[in-house]
Amino acid sequence: MSEVRELGQHVCEESMNWELCLLCQSGDTGKGALVLHPRIDSYNRLLGVIRERASLKDGNFVQVQIRLKDSTKETLCQEKAVWHRTCYASATNTELIQRARDRRDHELSTGSYIPKKRGQKRGSTEMDDSGPPTSGSSLCSLPFTRSCTVPLDKDQCFFCQTDDDQQLFTVRTENAGKQLRKAVEMSDDASLKTRLNTSISPTDAHAIDVRYHKPCWTRHVFHVVRDETTRSTDKEHLLQRASLIELINLIDFQTQNQAYLSMDDIETTYVNMLGAEGLDHHHYPAFTRRWLKEMILTELPTVKSVLQKNRRKSAVLYSPDACEEDMVHAAITSEEDDMKNMKAIYKSAQVIRKSIADFTKKDKPECAIPVSSNIDDVPAELYTMIRWIMVGPVDELETEAKTSVVDRMALTLSQNIMYGFKSTRQAVSKKLVNDAGACATEALQGMAAVTPATQILAGHRVLLRADLHAVCGHVALLTGGGSGHEPAHAGYIGPGMLTGVIAGDVFTSPPPRSILAAIQAVARAGAVGVLLIVTNYTGDRLNFGLAAERARAEGISVAMVVVAEDCALSSPDKTAGRRGLCGTILVHKIAGALAAESKGLKEIAEIASSAVKSMGTIGVSLSACSLPGRGPSFHLDAHEMELGLGVHGEAGVKRMQILPADETVRVMFEHMTDPKSDSHLVFGAGDNVALMVNNLGGTSYLELSIIARAAVGYLESKGLTIGRAYVGTFMSSLDMAGVSLTVMHLDPCRTSCLDADTSAPAWPRAALSCISDRPSELSVEDTNGCTSTGDRWSTSASGDGTSSSWSPVIESVCKALLEKESELNTLDMAAGDGDCGSTHARGCRAILKWTSTGGIPDCADGLLLGLAAVLEEHMGGTSGALYSLFLTAAAPSVCEYATPSHWVCAFQAGIEAIKRYGGADVGDRTLLDPLCAAYDELKSLNSEDDWLIYLGNAAKAAEVAAERTRHMDAHAGRASYVSPSRLLDPDPGAVAVATLLRALHDTLTS
């Protein structure tokens, strides 16, 4: 590659335009359509070819290599590199590559080039039988030795020797080479012959290395070869003929590479070529498909035409030298048959997708394993298709056992397909972005917009401290990597932590030039040294390492610390090694505090490296992350979790069933400390450690706190002292649901650094004290000395009920509501958060537990106040508050007497309290609708009447009112935020009240 750099010094360095062809930097449609979505392996192959041919100084590949600079496969993917099919085919042509090798070998040994015969092996010294050209040859008068000729300027037209703005084209085919030789032989221009002697071997028409303008080729080759006496000088005519020449050369090249082309495609390509020159094919009356076909067959005698089986389709051109006619016929027929088959499959897939979509509206599958043995539980179309694929359209097999096995397998596959079924909208994860390709840039701009202490380095995706002058005399800290791990790393810029961050695209390492620009920027600001903190990923190590080497060459003092604290991998790969995870944030903080204390670069690097060796991280994931514009990067079943994933979704060490939080934490720490693993972390009783509980992106803070509780409990149970603890989102993986746990051994230096002040926005304001060996609960005794909720109501003034008389009624009502739990949750899913049944069930279980202790008060008001206290404390939510309010307001009405009329007054008082404090009324689609309907039946009750009849009527009225809420618009509660079109079921709170009253009546009458 040093030769490429030496040669590149004489070439004007050009920037790569990624929207044009990677090889020719042209969007010329005359070369065919650009390949917009190449395969990944094409990038690898093309980069290898470019490097090899550039090292061989072959053609324009030196300039291509210089334009590519340090681009990698990831760079090409990121920039969405494109190319012409013809350029790619020419670049990767094995015969041309072999000739370049031969030419370079011979030039290095003798200074001249003698090409090999077709079929002659590389390294053979056998000469061409035809020998060198004779002195009488009209092609040239000099012997063919490059040492005797003047080097040809490849950046100029071969004919006019100018390098104006016109696009230059390259001779790519044997036919074009023969035409050029013949034209030069017929020409009287001696300079052309001399230049051709430099560029072509008399014995090999392929060994041509010239470039030309289209009009020049038309004048000097096209007209000369055809001996046209009326040689038009009109520019439009020349461009039209030049486009035709280019088309013919293109067809010649394609057909020689075993391609067959339809006249439809050829005509479209020619029209596009004319359009690229600003010409309109309608201006040429002679232009027809038949004329174009005749011109091609005339100019290319080796090309033949064959009609397709479908007469309505255009003819196909091919070269018999490259492929047999039978092969073309077979390919065309196979292509047509394949198209018919694919259309049939596509139509079948449409039918099956529609049947699955319709079916899942009724019964959404919940897991990816067979949940039923009934074929009616999957769409008939899907089941039938899978069974047909397995055994064909037969109902019964040889034995009943075989039939049973096939049926079961077809059912299993059908249910798995239904589970994995995604609609068109579900295929790509939903993201609030503008352009998937601009996410990293816009995110960094947003960070700078809301953080006045940071600024973007112009021309680069680099975020630096706004007060860059403050690093003068101090060591600057730079880090970076792919975006998608926010708040890492931009959130840790500020005094006491990072000086700057270099961001790549999502999950893509930043380019070396941006890293170098950041290093140069802090060096100009007066930094006495630059420490690069790099996570241990190959792209990051290489790009940061390259930038560091270039900076050192400029005299900048640079050191690099690689963070590799992953404890998931049992046997780390010798090249890639352990991954850098959330422990990187602790290294940022320690190094940042040391830099703020004006420590030297070497000392900071040593302490940071020591911290890396004293820490370990392991993660667990419940779901995949999804990059903007794409779907999930991998799949985890509903019952699965994966241990040891990387922050880019790299595979972990194992998948397992989802475990409870405490068990999950135990498994994580056991793997982290497993001595059988090469990457394990050693800690034991008496060790002082820092704990970091990190959200990988999609985990709620509720879950984080539960995991933190389990982690602290596990470490303390092993005798460790947790000196510092941090819980939050520190290094995420986009929207991945999961957590990582980081443990680092503490010493006085590290503890001091962690406690040092910093204004970095993402660093947590955690407690600066040890969290172990301190009580986590505060015991507060009730002023009456009672420890049981509800016991304080056991001594109320009066009452005529007993504990034993109330217990069966309370238990019956609670059991009725518990049976309704699932139904109430389902009703609540459309209007709320789907927990109405769970909330009522939680309250009922608390009441049943209370009654089981035998502490039910003997008086009516004590009973109501006791129930209110239980529901207030244990039921929770809006429902708990409403029931507690109702019971508390109702209690005074039965304080002295508990007759039926007093109970009715208590009922009314409870309703009025709900209206007063809840803000709802009858008709608002709430639990007030059945309560008020029941009161309307109860209010005519007097002490002489049979109150159970009225209670039955009240229960019936409540049920009718609850059902009527189905047709009401919600004006209170969460349901009021939901569109009326979605509220198709009764209100769950109203249904719960109706259930309660019905159970109360049925129990009292039994």
Side-chain angles (χ1 to χ4, degrees):
M1 296 306 294
S2 61
E3 295 175 344
V4 176
R5 292 193 183 96
E6 291 172 7
L7 185 62
Q9 293 174 358
H10 304 289
V11 182
C12 180
E13 185 171 339
E14 302 175 1
S15 60
M16 177 68 72
N17 187 340
W18 297 102
E19 295 180 357
L20 301 178
C21 174
L22 182 72
L23 296 163
C24 70
Q25 283 291 278
S26 165
D28 180 20
T29 54
K31 296 185 178 182
L34 291 169
V35 180
L36 298 179
H37 301 288
R39 297 191 307 272
I40 299 299
D41 57 346
S42 299
Y43 289 132
N44 276 332
R45 184 183 180 194
L46 190 59
L47 281 174
V49 167
I50 291 172
R51 292 192 185 101
E52 179 181 6
R53 298 189 72 167
S55 65
L56 297 173
K57 299 183 181 180
D58 184 19
N60 297 320
F61 288 95
V62 175
Q63 291 95 316
V64 175
Q65 177 67 19
I66 293 172
R67 283 198 297 268
L68 284 173
K69 299 179 182 177
D70 302 303
S71 298
T72 62
K73 177 188 71 174
E74 290 75 16
T75 306
L76 268 59
C77 294
Q78 170 187 332
E79 300 291 350
K80 302 177 181 177
V82 296
W83 52 70
H84 295 112
R85 293 184 187 278
T86 53
C87 293
Y88 181 86
S90 177
T92 57
N93 186 290
T94 54
E95 188 174 352
L96 296 181
I97 295 173
Q98 185 63 48
R99 287 196 181 89
R101 292 169 181 160
D102 295 339
R103 180 166 60 244
R104 183 61 174 161
D105 289 347
H106 195 75
E107 285 177 350
L108 292 174
S109 60
T110 64
S112 62
Y113 169 57
I114 301 176
K116 307 294 183 292
K117 284 184 177 182
R118 288 178 181 269
Q120 183 177 335
K121 295 183 179 178
R122 188 182 182 194
S124 172
T125 57
E126 181 184 351
M127 296 295 295
D128 191 340
D129 293 339
S130 60
T134 62
S135 58
S137 170
S138 61
L139 178 64
C140 58
S141 57
L142 296 172
F144 181 77
T145 56
R146 293 187 182 273
S147 60
C148 299
T149 57
V150 180
L152 187 70
D153 189 344
K154 305 298 173 45
D155 292 327
Q156 293 182 344
C157 173
F158 174 80
F159 300 102
C160 66
Q161 291 289 284
T162 61
D163 55 355
D164 55 17
D165 294 334
Q166 295 186 61
Q167 184 177 351
L168 292 170
F169 295 85
T170 305
V171 175
R172 294 194 301 268
T173 66
E174 184 175 2
N175 182 68
K178 289 179 179 178
Q179 289 190 25
L180 178 60
R181 292 179 60 193
K182 184 176 180 181
V184 172
E185 287 177 359
M186 298 172 64
S187 172
D188 298 329
D189 191 339
S191 63
L192 281 182
K193 296 179 180 180
T194 301
R195 286 200 293 273
L196 186 62
N197 182 39
T198 307
S199 311
I200 187 172
S201 165
T203 59
D204 190 352
H206 270 173
I208 300 171
D209 196 9
V210 302
R211 305 181 77 188
Y212 60 87
H213 295 132
K214 282 184 179 181
C216 293
W217 182 279
T218 304
R219 283 194 294 268
H220 293 282
V221 178
F222 192 81
H223 290 319
V224 171
V225 170
R226 286 153 190 77
D227 194 23
E228 296 185 0
T229 55
T230 57
R231 300 179 183 179
S232 173
T233 59
D234 178 65
K235 182 179 179 181
E236 182 175 326
H237 176 73
L238 289 175
L239 288 174
Q240 185 261 336
R241 301 306 288 266
S243 297
L244 180 61
I245 296 167
E246 186 67 16
L247 175 70
I248 292 171
N249 289 338
L250 177 65
I251 294 171
D252 186 16
F253 179 80
Q254 294 280 15
T255 54
Q256 291 302 322
N257 282 277
Q258 296 188 347
Y260 53 90
L261 310 170
S262 73
M263 282 305 301
D264 283 333
D265 295 335
I266 292 173
E267 182 181 2
T268 301
T269 301
Y270 185 52
V271 170
N272 291 337
M273 294 170 82
L274 293 175
E277 301 292 349
L279 306 177
D280 188 350
H281 68 283
H282 293 103
H283 293 169
Y284 305 103
F287 177 77
T288 62
R289 181 177 295 181
R290 177 176 294 180
W291 168 82
L292 185 61
K293 178 181 175 182
E294 290 175 354
M295 286 292 296
I296 294 169
L297 296 178
T298 301
E299 296 296 325
L300 300 173
T302 59
V303 173
K304 302 296 182 184
S305 170
V306 61
L307 295 176
Q308 296 199 47
K309 187 176 180 181
N310 187 343
R311 296 294 179 178
R312 290 177 294 179
K313 293 190 176 183
S314 63
V316 170
L317 304 186
Y318 73 101
S319 172
D321 295 338
C323 53
E324 299 294 335
E325 182 173 351
D326 292 343
M327 183 177 70
V328 176
H329 274 295
I332 294 173
T333 304
S334 175
E335 219 172 63
E336 293 176 349
D337 293 342
D338 290 345
M339 186 61 67
K340 291 178 182 177
N341 292 337
M342 291 306 296
K343 285 181 178 179
I345 293 171
Y346 178 73
K347 290 180 179 178
S348 300
Q350 282 184 311
V351 172
I352 293 173
R353 280 182 61 83
K354 185 177 184 306
S355 68
I356 296 175
D358 293 341
F359 199 89
T360 52
K361 291 177 183 177
K362 302 178 293 184
D363 185 15
K364 180 71 174 179
E366 297 182 355
C367 63
I369 58 176
V371 296
S372 171
S373 59
N374 187 355
I375 62 172
D376 293 333
D377 291 336
V378 296
E381 296 87 348
L382 175 64
Y383 175 82
T384 304
M385 174 63 75
I386 291 175
R387 202 179 186 285
W388 282 0
I389 293 173
M390 295 171 64
V391 297
V394 295
D395 292 332
E396 301 292 337
L397 298 179
E398 298 173 3
T399 65
E400 186 176 344
K402 288 185 178 180
T403 302
S404 177
V405 170
V406 169
D407 291 347
R408 188 166 61 253
M409 291 177 64
L411 182 60
T412 301
L413 291 172
S414 299
Q415 292 186 19
N416 276 274
I417 290 173
M418 286 181 64
Y419 172 75
F421 173 79
K422 298 289 183 185
S423 67
T424 305
R425 292 186 178 182
Q426 291 173 312
V428 176
S429 300
K430 292 182 283 189
K431 304 284 185 185
L432 289 174
V433 298
N434 298 311
D435 178 7
C439 284
T441 301
E442 293 181 356
L444 208 63
Q445 291 170 348
M447 184 70 184
V450 300
T451 312
T454 61
Q455 289 181 328
I456 293 178
L457 182 62
H460 299 275
R461 200 182 288 146
V462 175
L463 195 65
L464 297 171
R465 286 174 54 176
D467 60 339
L468 207 54
H469 61 276
V471 302
C472 183
H474 296 267
V475 172
L477 305 183
L478 297 177
T479 188
S483 299
H485 305 301
E486 290 70 23
H489 298 272
Y492 303 106
I493 296 177
M497 287 196 79
L498 299 175
T499 310
V501 164
I502 307 96
D505 276 324
V506 178
F507 291 178
T508 304
S509 179
R513 70 180 190 88
S514 293
I515 303 171
L516 181 60
I519 296 173
Q520 293 168 337
V522 296
R524 285 194 298 269
V528 296
V530 181
L531 178 64
L532 303 179
I533 302 174
V534 183
T535 52
N536 191 32
Y537 294 94
T538 303
D540 290 341
R541 286 202 322 270
L542 293 177
N543 290 339
F544 276 86
L546 178 58
E549 291 300 323
R550 291 178 177 174
R552 292 189 186 106
E554 296 178 8
I556 303 173
S557 180
V558 181
M560 190 164 81
V561 172
V562 178
V563 182
E565 91 287 13
D566 180 20
C567 291
L569 305 177
S570 300
S571 300
D573 180 78
K574 293 181 180 179
T575 303
R578 299 166 66 183
R579 298 169 291 204
L581 302 175
C582 192
T584 309
I585 310 306
L586 296 176
V587 178
H588 292 344
K589 186 66 180 67
I590 292 171
L594 294 171
E597 296 174 3
S598 301
K599 300 294 185 182
L601 177 60
K602 183 178 180 181
E603 182 180 359
I604 297 174
E606 289 176 351
I607 295 175
S609 298
S610 173
V612 172
K613 297 174 183 177
S614 301
M615 68 171 67
T617 299
I618 191 168
V620 67
S621 173
L622 277 70
S623 71
C625 59
S626 54
L627 276 67
R630 306 185 199 174
S633 54
F634 59 93
H635 174 71
L636 280 173
D637 289 341
H639 60 284
E640 278 187 326
M641 62 193 300
E642 187 158 356
L643 178 68
L645 264 77
V647 288
H648 307 104
E650 303 96 340
V653 290
K654 65 177 177 180
R655 292 190 176 188
M656 52 191 178
Q657 295 285 333
I658 289 182
L659 302 172
D662 290 355
E663 188 69 12
T664 298
V665 168
R666 182 189 63 79
V667 170
M668 294 172 73
F669 277 134
E670 286 182 353
H671 187 88
M672 178 187 287
T673 58
D674 185 1
K676 297 178 181 178
S677 171
D678 294 335
S679 59
H680 74 282
L681 178 69
V682 178
F683 58 69
D687 289 347
N688 185 21
V689 299
L691 170 67
M692 179 170 275
V693 181
N694 175 53
N695 174 19
L696 290 178
T699 308
S700 67
Y701 273 81
L702 176 75
E703 296 166 274
L704 280 183
S705 298
I706 295 172
I707 292 293
R709 167 191 167 276
V712 169
Y714 180 89
L715 294 176
E716 289 183 341
S717 71
K718 298 297 181 181
L720 277 75
T721 298
I722 303 176
R724 296 292 182 270
Y726 309 94
V727 180
T729 305
F730 304 106
M731 178 184 279
S732 66
S733 182
L734 290 170
D735 55 350
M736 181 184 289
V739 296
S740 68
L741 300 176
T742 301
V743 175
M744 180 178 70
H745 287 279
L746 289 179
D747 58 22
C749 175
R750 293 172 196 157
T751 303
S752 174
C753 291
L754 292 176
D755 292 348
D757 188 38
T758 179
S759 60
W763 179 255
R765 290 350 180 219
L768 306 182
S769 61
C770 178
I771 69 168
S772 296
D773 302 325
R774 64 178 182 82
S776 58
E777 294 182 356
L778 178 64
S779 177
V780 180
E781 294 183 354
D782 189 89
T783 55
N784 292 330
C786 299
T787 58
S788 176
T789 303
D791 286 351
R792 51 185 167 168
W793 310 114
S794 62
T795 57
S796 288
S798 64
D800 47 13
T802 65
S803 173
S804 59
S805 64
W806 287 118
S807 292
V809 177
I810 293 173
E811 292 174 3
S812 177
V813 171
C814 288
K815 289 178 180 178
L817 286 172
L818 286 171
E819 291 174 358
K820 285 277 187 178
E821 179 181 1
S822 179
E823 179 183 341
L824 294 176
N825 281 339
T826 302
L827 292 174
D828 192 36
M829 292 187 69
D833 50 6
D835 68 344
C836 181
S838 300
T839 302
H840 280 79
R842 188 163 56 248
C844 290
R845 293 188 184 99
I847 291 173
L848 291 173
K849 182 178 180 181
W850 177 57
T851 59
S852 66
T853 62
I856 302 177
D858 294 331
C859 55
D861 65 325
L863 173 67
L864 296 183
L865 291 173
L867 289 171
V870 172
L871 295 177
E872 175 187 348
E873 183 174 350
H874 297 285
M875 185 173 185
T878 304
S879 299
L882 289 174
Y883 282 117
S884 183
L885 180 63
F886 179 91
L887 295 168
T888 302
S893 299
V894 291
C895 181
E896 296 182 0
Y897 301 98
T899 64
S901 58
H902 284 86
W903 280 109
V904 174
C905 291
F907 201 84
Q908 181 187 17
I911 290 174
E912 293 302 325
I914 291 177
K915 288 182 178 180
R916 184 163 57 252
Y917 295 108
D921 208 337
V922 179
D924 287 347
R925 200 179 193 274
T926 65
L927 55 75
L928 277 174
D929 292 298
L931 284 175
C932 291
Y935 175 71
D936 289 340
E937 294 293 332
L938 292 172
K939 64 183 179 181
S940 58
L941 172 71
N942 56 59
S943 58
E944 291 78 20
D945 294 321
D946 188 349
W947 59 276
L948 281 176
I949 295 176
Y950 283 88
L951 182 58
N953 294 337
K956 184 174 182 181
E959 291 171 339
V960 173
E963 178 63 26
R964 196 179 294 128
T965 59
R966 180 194 301 270
H967 309 292
M968 294 181 181
D969 292 342
H971 300 293
R974 291 181 180 175
S976 61
Y977 304 114
V978 181
S979 171
S981 62
R982 293 180 56 188
L983 300 177
L984 306 178
D985 297 314
D987 179 70
V991 173
V993 168
T995 301
L996 187 154
L997 291 174
R998 173 55 63 190
L1000 180 63
H1001 171 265
D1002 293 347
T1003 303
L1004 292 173
T1005 55
S1006 62

